[in-house]
């Protein structure tokens, strides 16, 4: 529509097709936003379910076993604090670092 010649207007079929494309694009954008929101809510729910659970966490020195003590949300993303069995505290543990959840 940006390059439309005002002296040669687009016929009705082309105009309706362009409107349908714009509508489809807007619906796709809204769907993407909704999926992103859903994923954020799901990761929040998963992290809350880990409170008090014993987990194995992948770290630079290998797997560490500990208990999830707190959850913080940074920019909408959950990070865990894990009290390791040896007494050390692991801060800012992401959900992707949790390799095993023990009952």
């Amino acid at each position: 529509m940006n390059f439309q010649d005002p002296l040669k207007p687009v016929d009705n079929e082309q105009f309706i097709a362009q409107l349908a494309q714009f509508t489809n694009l807007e619906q796709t954008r809204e769907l993407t936003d909704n999926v992103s929101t859903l994923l954020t809510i799901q990761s929040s729910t998963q992290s809350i379910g880990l409170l008090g659970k014993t987990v194995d966490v992948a770290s630079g020195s290998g797997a560490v076993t500990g208990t999830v003590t707190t959850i913080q949300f940074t920019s909408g993303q959950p990070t865990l604090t894990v009290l390791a069995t040896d007494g050390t505290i692991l801060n800012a543990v992401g959900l992707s670092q949790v390799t095993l959840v023990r009952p």
Side-chain angles (χ1 to χ4, degrees):
M1 290 172 74
N2 288 338
F3 303 107
Q4 180 178 353
D5 183 356
L7 300 176
K8 297 179 186 174
V10 177
D11 66 15
N12 289 339
E13 288 180 20
Q14 289 179 343
F15 182 71
I16 291 173
Q18 288 177 356
L19 285 178
Q21 287 176 338
F22 288 134
T23 301
N24 189 21
L25 181 64
E26 177 65 19
Q27 289 174 346
T28 302
R29 188 194 61 77
E30 288 178 12
L31 181 62
T32 301
D33 290 346
N34 290 340
V35 168
S36 178
T37 301
L38 180 62
L39 289 173
T40 300
I41 291 169
Q42 182 180 11
S43 67
S44 299
T45 304
Q46 285 177 340
S47 62
I48 290 169
L50 292 175
L51 270 173
K53 300 273 186 180
T54 301
V55 296
D56 286 355
V57 176
S59 69
S61 60
V64 176
T65 301
T67 303
V68 178
T69 57
T70 61
I71 300 170
Q72 293 180 329
F73 293 91
T74 307
S75 301
Q77 296 299 317
T79 57
L80 311 173
T81 301
V82 177
L83 176 61
T85 54
D86 65 0
T88 60
I89 297 175
L90 302 172
N91 291 310
V93 175
L95 288 179
S96 62
Q97 292 175 267
V98 176
T99 58
L100 179 67
V101 179
R102 299 175 188 271

